[in-house]
């Protein structure tokens, strides 16, 4: 019991001490308009450096990443199929795929995949 309490206290104290140390030694910078403006070889900027970003494009990119990670997780499942219990393997795979398919159906029904 004592070891658990000691480990918990240590796990709380080390990050807190590191955060305090970082706040003490970090460089303080004041934000002013000149420093925040984009620099183009000494000339005034021709256009805004902060262009609007398409939320729809962002959602499609996140979906791609999710399904890309899904493929990276499913491929090793094929290798482990030989050495694991077939029932456990099947239930794990089906549960994983069903969660992803239900998420895709939810996005499809709410027209999140429409590019307009």
């Amino acid at each position: 019991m004592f070891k658990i309490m000691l480990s918990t206290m240590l796990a709380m104290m080390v990050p807190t001490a590191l955060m305090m140390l970082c706040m003490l030694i970090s460089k303080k910078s004041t934000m002013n308009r000149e420093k925040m403006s984009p620099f183009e070889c000494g000339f005034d900027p021709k256009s805004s450096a902060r262009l609007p970003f398409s939320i729809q494009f962002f959602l499609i990119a996140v979906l791609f990443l999710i399904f890309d990670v899904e493929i990276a997780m499913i491929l090793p499942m094929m290798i482990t199929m030989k050495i694991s219990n077939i029932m456990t393997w099947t239930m794990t795979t089906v549960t994983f795929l069903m969660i992803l398919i239900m998420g895709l159906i939810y996005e499809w029904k709410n027209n999140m995949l429409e590019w307009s």
Side-chain angles (χ1 to χ4, degrees), residues 31-40 45-53:
M31 303 283 186
N32 64 11
R33 187 171 183 189
E34 281 298 315
K35 288 185 180 179
M36 293 300 292
S37 66
F39 180 72
E40 292 184 9
K46 294 181 181 178
S47 63
S48 174
R50 290 158 183 84
L51 299 173
F53 189 74

Side-chain angles (χ1 to χ4, degrees), residues 11-104:
M12 290 178 158
M13 288 173 62
V14 170
T16 304
L18 287 174
M19 286 190 290
M20 291 178 136
L21 182 67
C22 285
M23 285 183 2
L24 287 174
I25 65 173
S26 67
K27 179 182 174 186
K28 304 285 189 249
S29 64
T30 56
M31 303 283 186
N32 64 11
R33 187 171 183 189
E34 281 298 315
K35 288 185 180 179
M36 293 300 292
S37 66
F39 180 72
E40 292 184 9
C41 302
F43 300 105
D44 289 331
K46 294 181 181 178
S47 63
S48 174
R50 290 158 183 84
L51 299 173
F53 189 74
S54 171
I55 296 296
Q56 201 67 27
F57 174 76
F58 178 75
L59 288 173
I60 298 294
V62 168
L63 274 176
F64 171 76
L65 286 175
I66 288 171
F67 284 104
D68 193 39
V69 169
E70 170 197 351
I71 295 298
M73 292 173 85
I74 286 177
L75 286 175
M77 283 182 166
M78 299 302 147
I79 297 169
T80 61
M81 184 174 148
K82 293 179 186 176
I83 59 174
S84 64
N85 182 3
I86 193 69
M87 191 63 173
T88 305
W89 184 88
T90 305
M91 291 303 293
T92 304
T93 307
V94 167
T95 304
F96 181 70
L97 290 174
M98 287 306 297
I99 290 171
L100 287 169
I101 290 171
M102 286 188 310
L104 182 63

